[in-house]
């Protein structure tokens, strides 16, 4: 097939965040058996070397600039600008960030590409790219939106957990905009792809007759090889993009509330926060005893291998988590919240124990203490976690499932 892939996020290197990782690995798989044209946007900071490297993984790479940011204003002008942007969003039932990224030049390019019959299928990598799909496209090409996570469910969850950076704004958006947005755009597509069953149930409420496939994330086992040994010690690690609100909330919660309690039992306990673009709130945590903030590193796997336990204290955020799968692939025992284990079978009747659950401070202290005191338990979680990833969550397996969705949609036209 000739596949047109739309991604407003430049998906290289595949280490900047979950969107980049998922998009790159899916296009990498599809390119093996199909012609893939990728249309993306330069968000600034993309080097010539990164562009050249990404060209090796697609048949055709088309890059457009992001629209210029509006000039900053203050006072009444600033207020009127915000009111105007929200009014436009409400009228169009489209979030402001989607409208901001929208490029008329990309729209014209996509329209011409479809009209000229140059593609058999279009994939939108992340729902923000749905804006370029016209309802009539479904008559001639397979159209698939790879949602990554429901923006309605994500925002609702942040509000419920009191983790929203702007609760008033998000309440307004949730009530007046986001539900209408997801109801509207999901009707345009031949198929909807989500990463967890929670998201599937969310979209079925919006469109009961929708064709929805649950396809989780995967792991590149070459980038995350199994650890050569158990490092022992009292070293904890968290990995993720450190400008994301859910990650910021997680590491603040752990550093300020959990780690001090652990250090009462284990004075040598350390917590290393690994990931790109650490926000000011994250950098400030490095002033606490035992907390280290690295910023971007050459190899996350190295930090996972050198840590006795990976903690994933997420309290908000929908979707299956790359960080959980990557830690399991690396063989690092995982202690995680229910949110961090969403979509994964890690415990229960008839299921090998693959991670320990914790949601409250005392549960984290108890679970981590169990692992530090029991090398056999660490080894059990390490081996079982790696086995789960090798069996079900390689990008090869995930890519096959994604490819099948495209083939099925194409055959129905």
């Amino acid at each position: 097939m000739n596949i047109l892939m739309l991604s407003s996020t430049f998906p290289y290197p595949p280490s900047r965040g979950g969107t980049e990782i998922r998009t790159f690995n899916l296009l990498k798989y599809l390119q093996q058996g199909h012609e893939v044209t990728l249309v993306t946007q330069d968000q600034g900071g993309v080097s010539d070397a990164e562009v050249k490297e990404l060209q090796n993984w697609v048949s055709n790479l088309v890059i457009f600039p992001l629209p210029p940011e509006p000039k900053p204003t203050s006072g009444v002008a600033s207020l009127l600008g915000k009111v105007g942007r929200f009014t436009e969003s409400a009228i169009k039932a489209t979030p402001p960030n989607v409208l901001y990224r929208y490029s008329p030049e990309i729209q014209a390019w996509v329209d011409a590409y479809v009209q000229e019959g140059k593609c058999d299928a279009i994939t939108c990598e992340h729902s923000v790219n749905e804006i370029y799909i016209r309802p009539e496209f479904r008559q001639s090409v397979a159209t698939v939106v790879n949602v990554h996570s429901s923006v309605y469910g994500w925002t609702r969850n942040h509000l419920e957990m009191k983790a929203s950076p702007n609760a008033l704004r998000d309440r307004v958006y949730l009530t007046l905009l986001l539900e209408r947005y997801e109801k509207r755009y999901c009707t345009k597509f031949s198929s909807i792809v989500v990463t967890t069953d929670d998201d599937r149930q969310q979209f079925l409420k919006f469109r009961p007759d929708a064709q929805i496939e649950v396809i989780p994330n995967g792991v590149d086992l070459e980038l995350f090889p199994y650890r050569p040994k158990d490092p022992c010690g009292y070293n904890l690690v968290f990995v993720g993009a450190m400008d994301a609100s859910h990650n910021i909330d997680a590491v603040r919660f752990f550093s300020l509330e959990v780690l001090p309690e652990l250090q009462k039992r284990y004075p040598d306990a350390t917590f290393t926060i690994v990931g790109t673009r650490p926000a000011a709130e994250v950098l400030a945590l490095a002033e606490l005893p035992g907390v280290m903030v690295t910023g971007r590193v050459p190899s996350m796997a190295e930090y996972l291998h050198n840590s006795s336990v990976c903690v994933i204290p997420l309290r908000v955020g929908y979707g299956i988590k790359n960080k959980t799968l990557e830690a399991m692939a690396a063989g690092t025992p995982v202690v995680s919240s229910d949110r961090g284990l969403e979509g994964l079978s890690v415990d229960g009747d008839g299921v090998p124990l693959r991670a320990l659950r914790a949601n409250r401070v005392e549960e984290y202290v108890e679970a981590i203490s169990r692992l530090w005191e029991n090398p056999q338990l660490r080894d059990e979680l390490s081996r079982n976690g790696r086995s789960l990833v090798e069996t079900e969550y390689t990008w090869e397996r995930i890519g096959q499932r994604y490819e099948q969705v495209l083939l099925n949609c194409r055959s129905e036209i």
Side-chain angles (χ1 to χ4, degrees), residues 34-87:
H34 308 277
E35 297 291 313
V36 179
T37 294
L38 174 67
V39 174
T40 187
Q41 289 175 288
D42 184 347
Q43 302 166 68
V46 176
S47 69
D48 291 342
E50 289 167 345
V51 171
K52 186 175 181 179
E53 182 62 27
L54 184 57
Q55 286 174 329
N56 293 329
W57 299 104
V58 295
S59 303
N60 187 25
L61 177 62
V62 183
I63 304 175
F64 289 86
L66 271 181
E69 294 187 17
K71 294 181 180 179
T73 57
S74 59
V76 175
S78 176
L79 178 61
L80 290 175
K82 292 178 180 178
V83 171
R85 287 191 292 273
F86 179 75
T87 301

Short mmCIF file of all heavy atoms in Angstrom, two decimals, residues 34-87:
data_model
loop_
_atom_site.label_atom_id
_atom_site.label_comp_id
_atom_site.label_asym_id
_atom_site.label_seq_id
_atom_site.Cartn_x
_atom_site.Cartn_y
_atom_site.Cartn_z
N HIS A 34 5.63 -1.43 2.79
CA HIS A 34 4.77 -0.46 2.11
C HIS A 34 5.57 0.81 1.81
O HIS A 34 6.66 1.02 2.34
CB HIS A 34 3.56 -0.11 3.00
CG HIS A 34 2.80 -1.31 3.48
ND1 HIS A 34 1.85 -1.95 2.72
CD2 HIS A 34 2.88 -2.00 4.65
CE1 HIS A 34 1.36 -2.97 3.40
NE2 HIS A 34 1.96 -3.03 4.56
N GLU A 35 4.99 1.66 0.98
CA GLU A 35 5.57 2.96 0.70
C GLU A 35 4.94 3.97 1.67
O GLU A 35 3.72 4.19 1.62
CB GLU A 35 5.29 3.38 -0.74
CG GLU A 35 5.90 2.47 -1.79
CD GLU A 35 7.41 2.60 -1.81
OE1 GLU A 35 7.92 3.74 -1.82
OE2 GLU A 35 8.09 1.54 -1.82
N VAL A 36 5.75 4.55 2.54
CA VAL A 36 5.23 5.47 3.56
C VAL A 36 5.71 6.89 3.27
O VAL A 36 6.92 7.15 3.21
CB VAL A 36 5.67 5.05 4.97
CG1 VAL A 36 5.15 6.05 6.01
CG2 VAL A 36 5.17 3.65 5.30
N THR A 37 4.75 7.78 3.11
CA THR A 37 5.04 9.21 3.01
C THR A 37 4.66 9.86 4.33
O THR A 37 3.51 9.75 4.76
CB THR A 37 4.25 9.86 1.86
OG1 THR A 37 4.71 9.34 0.61
CG2 THR A 37 4.43 11.38 1.86
N LEU A 38 5.62 10.49 4.98
CA LEU A 38 5.38 11.13 6.26
C LEU A 38 5.31 12.64 6.08
O LEU A 38 6.23 13.25 5.54
CB LEU A 38 6.49 10.79 7.26
CG LEU A 38 6.43 11.53 8.61
CD1 LEU A 38 5.20 11.11 9.41
CD2 LEU A 38 7.71 11.30 9.41
N VAL A 39 4.22 13.23 6.54
CA VAL A 39 4.07 14.69 6.58
C VAL A 39 4.14 15.12 8.04
O VAL A 39 3.36 14.65 8.87
CB VAL A 39 2.74 15.14 5.95
CG1 VAL A 39 2.54 16.64 6.14
CG2 VAL A 39 2.71 14.79 4.47
N THR A 40 5.09 15.99 8.34
CA THR A 40 5.29 16.40 9.73
C THR A 40 5.63 17.89 9.78
O THR A 40 5.68 18.56 8.74
CB THR A 40 6.40 15.55 10.38
OG1 THR A 40 6.48 15.85 11.78
CG2 THR A 40 7.75 15.79 9.72
N GLN A 41 5.84 18.39 11.00
CA GLN A 41 6.15 19.81 11.19
C GLN A 41 7.41 19.97 12.01
O GLN A 41 7.67 19.20 12.94
CB GLN A 41 4.98 20.53 11.88
CG GLN A 41 3.75 20.69 10.99
CD GLN A 41 2.57 21.29 11.73
OE1 GLN A 41 1.94 20.64 12.55
NE2 GLN A 41 2.25 22.54 11.41
N ASP A 42 8.19 20.99 11.66
CA ASP A 42 9.39 21.34 12.40
C ASP A 42 8.99 22.26 13.54
O ASP A 42 8.59 23.39 13.33
CB ASP A 42 10.39 22.03 11.47
CG ASP A 42 11.71 22.34 12.17
OD1 ASP A 42 11.77 22.24 13.41
OD2 ASP A 42 12.68 22.69 11.48
N GLN A 43 9.11 21.74 14.76
CA GLN A 43 8.69 22.52 15.93
C GLN A 43 9.82 23.36 16.49
O GLN A 43 9.71 23.94 17.57
CB GLN A 43 8.18 21.56 17.01
CG GLN A 43 7.02 20.69 16.52
CD GLN A 43 6.76 19.53 17.45
OE1 GLN A 43 6.31 19.73 18.57
NE2 GLN A 43 7.02 18.32 16.98
N GLY A 44 10.94 23.43 15.78
CA GLY A 44 12.11 24.14 16.29
C GLY A 44 13.00 23.16 17.03
O GLY A 44 12.54 22.25 17.70
N GLY A 45 14.29 23.31 16.87
CA GLY A 45 15.23 22.43 17.55
C GLY A 45 15.51 21.14 16.81
O GLY A 45 16.23 20.28 17.32
N VAL A 46 14.92 20.98 15.62
CA VAL A 46 15.18 19.78 14.82
C VAL A 46 16.44 20.03 13.98
O VAL A 46 16.50 20.98 13.21
CB VAL A 46 13.99 19.44 13.90
CG1 VAL A 46 14.33 18.26 13.02
CG2 VAL A 46 12.75 19.15 14.73
N SER A 47 17.42 19.17 14.13
CA SER A 47 18.69 19.37 13.43
C SER A 47 18.66 18.76 12.03
O SER A 47 17.84 17.88 11.73
CB SER A 47 19.84 18.74 14.23
OG SER A 47 19.72 17.32 14.22
N ASP A 48 19.59 19.20 11.20
CA ASP A 48 19.72 18.62 9.85
C ASP A 48 20.05 17.13 9.94
O ASP A 48 19.57 16.34 9.11
CB ASP A 48 20.82 19.35 9.07
CG ASP A 48 20.44 20.79 8.73
OD1 ASP A 48 19.24 21.11 8.79
OD2 ASP A 48 21.35 21.59 8.42
N ALA A 49 20.84 16.75 10.92
CA ALA A 49 21.20 15.34 11.08
C ALA A 49 19.97 14.50 11.41
O ALA A 49 19.83 13.37 10.92
CB ALA A 49 22.25 15.20 12.18
N GLU A 50 19.07 15.05 12.23
CA GLU A 50 17.86 14.32 12.59
C GLU A 50 16.93 14.18 11.39
O GLU A 50 16.31 13.13 11.19
CB GLU A 50 17.16 15.02 13.75
CG GLU A 50 17.92 14.87 15.07
CD GLU A 50 17.41 15.79 16.16
OE1 GLU A 50 16.68 16.76 15.85
OE2 GLU A 50 17.76 15.55 17.33
N VAL A 51 16.85 15.22 10.59
CA VAL A 51 16.04 15.14 9.36
C VAL A 51 16.62 14.08 8.43
O VAL A 51 15.88 13.24 7.88
CB VAL A 51 16.01 16.50 8.65
CG1 VAL A 51 15.37 16.37 7.26
CG2 VAL A 51 15.25 17.52 9.48
N LYS A 52 17.93 14.09 8.26
CA LYS A 52 18.58 13.13 7.38
C LYS A 52 18.37 11.70 7.87
O LYS A 52 18.11 10.78 7.08
CB LYS A 52 20.08 13.43 7.29
CG LYS A 52 20.82 12.57 6.28
CD LYS A 52 22.28 13.00 6.16
CE LYS A 52 23.02 12.15 5.13
NZ LYS A 52 24.45 12.58 4.99
N GLU A 53 18.44 11.50 9.18
CA GLU A 53 18.25 10.15 9.73
C GLU A 53 16.81 9.69 9.53
O GLU A 53 16.57 8.53 9.17
CB GLU A 53 18.61 10.14 11.22
CG GLU A 53 18.49 8.78 11.88
CD GLU A 53 19.43 7.74 11.29
OE1 GLU A 53 20.49 8.13 10.76
OE2 GLU A 53 19.09 6.54 11.36
N LEU A 54 15.84 10.57 9.75
CA LEU A 54 14.44 10.18 9.59
C LEU A 54 14.14 9.82 8.14
O LEU A 54 13.31 8.93 7.87
CB LEU A 54 13.52 11.32 10.06
CG LEU A 54 12.01 11.03 10.03
CD1 LEU A 54 11.67 9.80 10.87
CD2 LEU A 54 11.23 12.24 10.53
N GLN A 55 14.81 10.47 7.19
CA GLN A 55 14.60 10.16 5.77
C GLN A 55 14.95 8.71 5.45
O GLN A 55 14.41 8.14 4.50
CB GLN A 55 15.44 11.11 4.91
CG GLN A 55 14.89 12.53 4.85
CD GLN A 55 15.82 13.48 4.10
OE1 GLN A 55 17.03 13.31 4.12
NE2 GLN A 55 15.24 14.48 3.45
N ASN A 56 15.82 8.11 6.26
CA ASN A 56 16.20 6.72 6.02
C ASN A 56 15.08 5.74 6.34
O ASN A 56 15.14 4.58 5.95
CB ASN A 56 17.42 6.35 6.87
CG ASN A 56 18.67 7.11 6.45
OD1 ASN A 56 18.83 7.44 5.29
ND2 ASN A 56 19.55 7.38 7.41
N TRP A 57 14.05 6.20 7.05
CA TRP A 57 13.00 5.31 7.53
C TRP A 57 11.68 5.51 6.82
O TRP A 57 10.68 4.88 7.19
CB TRP A 57 12.82 5.48 9.04
CG TRP A 57 14.06 5.14 9.80
CD1 TRP A 57 14.95 6.01 10.36
CD2 TRP A 57 14.57 3.83 10.07
NE1 TRP A 57 15.97 5.35 10.96
CE2 TRP A 57 15.76 4.00 10.80
CE3 TRP A 57 14.12 2.54 9.78
CZ2 TRP A 57 16.52 2.91 11.23
CZ3 TRP A 57 14.88 1.47 10.21
CH2 TRP A 57 16.06 1.65 10.93
N VAL A 58 11.62 6.38 5.82
CA VAL A 58 10.38 6.61 5.07
C VAL A 58 10.71 6.68 3.58
O VAL A 58 11.85 6.91 3.19
CB VAL A 58 9.68 7.92 5.51
CG1 VAL A 58 9.20 7.82 6.94
CG2 VAL A 58 10.60 9.13 5.34
N SER A 59 9.68 6.50 2.77
CA SER A 59 9.86 6.63 1.32
C SER A 59 9.96 8.09 0.92
O SER A 59 10.69 8.46 0.00
CB SER A 59 8.69 5.97 0.59
OG SER A 59 8.56 4.61 0.95
N ASN A 60 9.20 8.93 1.63
CA ASN A 60 9.16 10.35 1.29
C ASN A 60 8.88 11.13 2.56
O ASN A 60 7.93 10.82 3.29
CB ASN A 60 8.06 10.61 0.25
CG ASN A 60 8.07 12.04 -0.26
OD1 ASN A 60 9.10 12.71 -0.24
ND2 ASN A 60 6.92 12.52 -0.71
N LEU A 61 9.70 12.12 2.84
CA LEU A 61 9.54 12.96 4.03
C LEU A 61 9.20 14.38 3.61
O LEU A 61 9.95 15.00 2.86
CB LEU A 61 10.81 12.95 4.88
CG LEU A 61 10.81 13.84 6.13
CD1 LEU A 61 9.74 13.40 7.11
CD2 LEU A 61 12.20 13.81 6.79
N VAL A 62 8.06 14.88 4.09
CA VAL A 62 7.62 16.24 3.76
C VAL A 62 7.49 17.02 5.07
O VAL A 62 6.73 16.62 5.96
CB VAL A 62 6.27 16.23 3.02
CG1 VAL A 62 5.87 17.64 2.62
CG2 VAL A 62 6.34 15.31 1.81
N ILE A 63 8.24 18.11 5.18
CA ILE A 63 8.27 18.87 6.43
C ILE A 63 7.73 20.28 6.19
O ILE A 63 8.16 20.97 5.27
CB ILE A 63 9.70 18.96 7.00
CG1 ILE A 63 10.29 17.56 7.19
CG2 ILE A 63 9.71 19.72 8.31
CD1 ILE A 63 11.75 17.56 7.63
N PHE A 64 6.78 20.66 7.03
CA PHE A 64 6.23 22.02 7.00
C PHE A 64 6.60 22.72 8.31
O PHE A 64 6.77 22.06 9.34
CB PHE A 64 4.71 21.98 6.87
CG PHE A 64 4.21 21.55 5.52
CD1 PHE A 64 4.05 20.20 5.22
CD2 PHE A 64 3.88 22.49 4.55
CE1 PHE A 64 3.58 19.79 3.99
CE2 PHE A 64 3.41 22.09 3.30
CZ PHE A 64 3.27 20.74 3.03
N PRO A 65 6.69 24.04 8.29
CA PRO A 65 6.95 24.75 9.55
C PRO A 65 5.68 24.84 10.40
O PRO A 65 4.56 24.78 9.87
CB PRO A 65 7.39 26.14 9.08
CG PRO A 65 6.66 26.32 7.78
CD PRO A 65 6.62 24.96 7.14
N LEU A 66 5.86 24.97 11.70
CA LEU A 66 4.72 25.28 12.55
C LEU A 66 4.27 26.71 12.25
O LEU A 66 5.09 27.57 11.90
CB LEU A 66 5.11 25.21 14.03
CG LEU A 66 4.97 23.87 14.75
CD1 LEU A 66 5.38 24.05 16.21
CD2 LEU A 66 3.55 23.34 14.68
N PRO A 67 2.97 27.00 12.36
CA PRO A 67 2.52 28.38 12.17
C PRO A 67 3.20 29.30 13.18
O PRO A 67 3.54 28.86 14.29
CB PRO A 67 1.01 28.29 12.45
CG PRO A 67 0.66 26.86 12.20
CD PRO A 67 1.87 26.07 12.61
N PRO A 68 3.43 30.55 12.83
CA PRO A 68 4.08 31.48 13.77
C PRO A 68 3.22 31.70 15.01
O PRO A 68 1.99 31.72 14.94
CB PRO A 68 4.22 32.77 12.95
CG PRO A 68 3.18 32.66 11.88
CD PRO A 68 3.07 31.21 11.56
N GLU A 69 3.88 31.82 16.15
CA GLU A 69 3.15 32.07 17.39
C GLU A 69 2.57 33.48 17.36
O GLU A 69 3.18 34.42 16.82
CB GLU A 69 4.08 31.92 18.59
CG GLU A 69 4.57 30.51 18.82
CD GLU A 69 5.34 30.38 20.11
OE1 GLU A 69 5.21 31.29 20.96
OE2 GLU A 69 6.07 29.40 20.27
N PRO A 70 1.38 33.67 17.95
CA PRO A 70 0.81 35.02 18.01
C PRO A 70 1.69 35.94 18.85
O PRO A 70 2.32 35.50 19.82
CB PRO A 70 -0.56 34.79 18.67
CG PRO A 70 -0.44 33.49 19.38
CD PRO A 70 0.50 32.66 18.58
N LYS A 71 1.75 37.20 18.47
CA LYS A 71 2.57 38.16 19.20
C LYS A 71 2.02 38.34 20.62
O LYS A 71 0.81 38.43 20.82
CB LYS A 71 2.57 39.51 18.48
CG LYS A 71 3.26 39.47 17.12
CD LYS A 71 3.26 40.84 16.46
CE LYS A 71 3.97 40.78 15.11
NZ LYS A 71 3.96 42.11 14.43
N PRO A 72 2.92 38.33 21.63
CA PRO A 72 2.45 38.47 23.02
C PRO A 72 1.80 39.83 23.26
O PRO A 72 2.24 40.85 22.73
CB PRO A 72 3.74 38.32 23.83
CG PRO A 72 4.85 38.66 22.89
CD PRO A 72 4.39 38.23 21.53
N THR A 73 0.74 39.80 24.03
CA THR A 73 0.04 41.03 24.40
C THR A 73 -0.19 41.02 25.90
O THR A 73 0.09 40.04 26.59
CB THR A 73 -1.31 41.14 23.68
OG1 THR A 73 -2.10 39.98 23.98
CG2 THR A 73 -1.12 41.23 22.18
N SER A 74 -0.71 42.10 26.42
CA SER A 74 -0.98 42.18 27.86
C SER A 74 -2.27 42.96 28.08
O SER A 74 -2.83 43.56 27.16
CB SER A 74 0.18 42.87 28.59
OG SER A 74 0.38 44.19 28.08
N GLY A 75 -2.75 42.91 29.32
CA GLY A 75 -3.93 43.68 29.69
C GLY A 75 -5.18 43.27 28.94
O GLY A 75 -5.46 42.09 28.74
N VAL A 76 -5.92 44.26 28.50
CA VAL A 76 -7.20 44.02 27.82
C VAL A 76 -6.99 43.26 26.51
O VAL A 76 -7.76 42.35 26.18
CB VAL A 76 -7.91 45.36 27.54
CG1 VAL A 76 -9.17 45.13 26.71
CG2 VAL A 76 -8.27 46.05 28.85
N ALA A 77 -5.92 43.58 25.79
CA ALA A 77 -5.66 42.91 24.52
C ALA A 77 -5.43 41.42 24.72
O ALA A 77 -5.90 40.58 23.94
CB ALA A 77 -4.45 43.54 23.83
N SER A 78 -4.70 41.09 25.79
CA SER A 78 -4.45 39.68 26.08
C SER A 78 -5.75 38.95 26.42
O SER A 78 -5.98 37.83 25.94
CB SER A 78 -3.46 39.56 27.25
OG SER A 78 -3.28 38.21 27.60
N LEU A 79 -6.58 39.57 27.23
CA LEU A 79 -7.86 38.96 27.61
C LEU A 79 -8.75 38.77 26.39
O LEU A 79 -9.36 37.70 26.21
CB LEU A 79 -8.57 39.83 28.65
CG LEU A 79 -9.95 39.35 29.11
CD1 LEU A 79 -9.83 37.97 29.75
CD2 LEU A 79 -10.57 40.34 30.08
N LEU A 80 -8.82 39.78 25.54
CA LEU A 80 -9.65 39.67 24.35
C LEU A 80 -9.13 38.57 23.42
O LEU A 80 -9.91 37.87 22.78
CB LEU A 80 -9.67 41.02 23.61
CG LEU A 80 -10.44 42.16 24.30
CD1 LEU A 80 -10.28 43.45 23.53
CD2 LEU A 80 -11.92 41.79 24.43
N GLY A 81 -7.79 38.44 23.36
CA GLY A 81 -7.22 37.39 22.53
C GLY A 81 -7.61 36.00 23.02
O GLY A 81 -7.97 35.13 22.23
N LYS A 82 -7.56 35.81 24.35
CA LYS A 82 -7.94 34.51 24.92
C LYS A 82 -9.41 34.22 24.68
O LYS A 82 -9.79 33.09 24.35
CB LYS A 82 -7.62 34.49 26.41
CG LYS A 82 -6.14 34.50 26.73
CD LYS A 82 -5.89 34.53 28.23
CE LYS A 82 -4.41 34.54 28.54
NZ LYS A 82 -4.14 34.62 30.00
N VAL A 83 -10.25 35.24 24.86
CA VAL A 83 -11.69 35.06 24.63
C VAL A 83 -11.95 34.73 23.17
O VAL A 83 -12.75 33.85 22.84
CB VAL A 83 -12.46 36.33 25.04
CG1 VAL A 83 -13.92 36.23 24.60
CG2 VAL A 83 -12.39 36.54 26.55
N GLY A 84 -11.23 35.41 22.28
CA GLY A 84 -11.42 35.15 20.85
C GLY A 84 -11.01 33.74 20.47
O GLY A 84 -11.71 33.07 19.70
N ARG A 85 -9.88 33.27 21.03
CA ARG A 85 -9.42 31.92 20.72
C ARG A 85 -10.38 30.86 21.24
O ARG A 85 -10.66 29.87 20.57
CB ARG A 85 -8.01 31.70 21.28
CG ARG A 85 -6.92 32.44 20.51
CD ARG A 85 -5.53 32.02 20.93
NE ARG A 85 -5.22 32.44 22.29
CZ ARG A 85 -4.69 33.63 22.59
NH1 ARG A 85 -4.46 34.52 21.64
NH2 ARG A 85 -4.41 33.94 23.84
N PHE A 86 -10.90 31.09 22.45
CA PHE A 86 -11.84 30.11 23.00
C PHE A 86 -13.15 30.12 22.21
O PHE A 86 -13.74 29.06 21.96
CB PHE A 86 -12.13 30.39 24.47
CG PHE A 86 -13.12 29.41 25.05
CD1 PHE A 86 -12.73 28.13 25.36
CD2 PHE A 86 -14.45 29.76 25.24
CE1 PHE A 86 -13.63 27.20 25.87
CE2 PHE A 86 -15.36 28.85 25.75
CZ PHE A 86 -14.95 27.57 26.06
N THR A 87 -13.60 31.29 21.81
CA THR A 87 -14.83 31.38 21.02
C THR A 87 -14.69 30.62 19.71
O THR A 87 -15.58 29.86 19.31
CB THR A 87 -15.18 32.85 20.73
OG1 THR A 87 -15.35 33.54 21.98
CG2 THR A 87 -16.46 32.95 19.92
#
